[in-house]
Amino acid sequence: MWKDFPLLPDSASTMAPQVDMVWWFLVALSVVMTVLIFATVIAFVAYFRKKNDGRVATQIEGSTQLEVLWSALPFVILMGLFFWGTAVYVQTQRPPENVMDMYVVGKQWMWKIQHPTGQREINEMHIPVGQAIRLTMTSEDVIHSYYIPAFRTKKDAVPGRYTMQWFEATKVGDYHLFCAEYCGTKHSQMIGTVHVMEKDAYQRWLSGVVATDTPEAAGQKLFEGMRCASCHPVDPAKPTIDGVAARGPLLAGIYGKEVVLKDGGKVVVNDEYIRESVVRPLAKVVAGFEPVMPTYDGQLSEEQIIQIAAYIKSLKDSGAKQ
Ligand code: CUA
């Protein structure tokens, strides 16, 4: 009977047992406190009931010992919970080094997923077991939330910015994917399936699906098609364009670095900054350059901006990717 009525969703990621431990501790603490309080109330009511005359409760006019005890004990327990919960939360924000990048774009009412090797899916996500995966997520319209209960991970997909979540699946199987942020009439149908596969099965699946360009390659095509290269050099060996100083910064090796801005501020070049520079190029102009870049807002979809960022990320110091 309990098989069809699970108390908790499947536990299928490295994070799930840790989240569950915190949750179970909170539940146990609540149960213990509730039982203690109710038992004491009932016991006192019975013991000091009126007709049982002669018994009078001793009035306590103040007890430093007691007050210290009932202040210090909850403090220690709650601070313990705080640090424990924070430690788990911090882990959910820090993907490991060998992470595999995937991209998620939410729109009313579907999830669009892109694999690093170029495969695309809608409302389905095939992933290998035992591999940490980082999702870079955004939305084309309103706020959605990418929720996989079996992994105990959930993060909003927000229009106009990128959010990140990561997980490592530990169990092969099919798991629910939900939108967990009310987003319109078909919110409840914005659902899907996460297929966790053995690594070789995942490779077979990948080769069986027609791959479009990888995000990098698609980004390179867009970069060339939108004529970004007429202002932005991508090869450190050729920092000028037609012999003239380039109008935009050299993009090779720029990803992950800190650049100085015209107003003296600094910014780290990441997906977020690249997106902003495409959509609102004048917001943060790099020092030494004129604010001349036109906006590409509305000309590129969120998926295309993700691809351009992936392409820029792939440009290494040592030379442009050919
Ligand atoms: Cu998308 Cu709710």
Side-chain angles (χ1 to χ4, degrees), residues 107 109 111 142-145 179-184 187-188 190:
K107 74 176 265 202
W109 286 275
W111 292 108
V142 299
I143 302 178
H144 304 277
S145 185
C179 176
E181 181 65 56
Y182 183 65
C183 57
H187 158 71
S188 62
M190 193 168 165

Side-chain angles (χ1 to χ4, degrees), residues 3 29 68 82 84 109 120 131-132 143 169 196 261 291 305:
K3 204 172 164 290
L29 187 67
V68 167
F82 170 75
W84 183 13
W109 286 275
R120 288 149 177 267
Q131 163 71 54
I143 302 178
V196 178
L261 303 176
I305 298 176

Side-chain angles (χ1 to χ4, degrees), residues 220 223-224 228-252 289 311 315-322:
Q220 181 170 10
F223 192 87
E224 284 155 10
C228 308
S230 63
C231 293
H232 288 285
V234 291
D235 184 350
K238 289 180 239 148
T240 58
I241 288 168
D242 299 333
V244 189
R247 275 168 292 182
L250 171 73
L251 298 179
F289 293 93
Y311 170 59
L315 296 168
K316 302 284 181 261
D317 262 336
S318 46
K321 221 177 129 86
Q322 295 308 319

